[in-house]
Amino acid sequence: MTTTWTPARIVALLGLLVLGALAGAAGWLVVDLWFPGGLVLALLALLGLFLAGRLVIGNGIGVGVPVIGWFLAYVLLGAPRPEGDFLLSSTGIGMYAYLLGGIVIAVMCATLRGPVEQPVSAGRPGR
């Protein structure tokens, strides 16, 4: 299946990139503020965003673009600044759980098959 790069698709991908970055920043704040519930809320937001990207674009690129935005926000907010402090600090295992959970959700959403796609056969390729 080839991907046609229409202007609407490009705008949708740029919007997903921005939404991924916003979800990453918001998730960083929520996980640190309300640890058990905030982690669940942030992971559910990622699940919704990644699934929406998959459905809107129609393939794994719709998941990959918001994942890039999410991961860039995660890394930039967690990197130490030249002054030696952090923009946002995290003092617990919640941020590692957010990172691992986000990666697992991204892989799950990227490998989903749509309802109109044929199942994959391991025994006989192409049939």
Side-chain angles (χ1 to χ4, degrees), residues 57-108:
I57 302 301
N59 54 21
I61 294 172
V63 178
V65 170
V67 167
I68 290 170
W70 165 72
F71 189 70
L72 284 176
Y74 184 91
V75 169
L76 290 176
L77 290 174
R81 294 181 19 191
E83 295 86 18
D85 56 353
F86 293 92
L87 185 61
L88 294 173
S89 67
S90 176
T91 58
I93 197 162
M95 293 316 297
Y96 293 112
Y98 179 53
L99 177 64
L100 181 63
I103 291 170
V104 168
I105 289 171
V107 170
M108 286 177 13

Side-chain angles (χ1 to χ4, degrees), residues 9 11 13 29 40-41 43 71-72 85 90 94 100 103 122:
R9 182 174 286 228
V11 168
L13 288 172
L29 292 171
V40 172
L41 182 66
L43 291 177
F71 189 70
L72 284 176
D85 56 353
S90 176
L100 181 63
I103 291 170

Side-chain angles (χ1 to χ4, degrees), residues 1-44:
M1 183 173 127
T2 61
T3 303
T4 57
W5 294 99
T6 63
R9 182 174 286 228
I10 293 171
V11 168
L13 288 172
L14 289 174
L16 286 170
L17 182 70
V18 170
L19 286 174
L22 290 174
W28 186 282
L29 292 171
V30 170
V31 168
D32 214 20
L33 285 176
W34 309 307
F35 172 60
L39 177 64
V40 172
L41 182 66
L43 291 177
L44 285 175

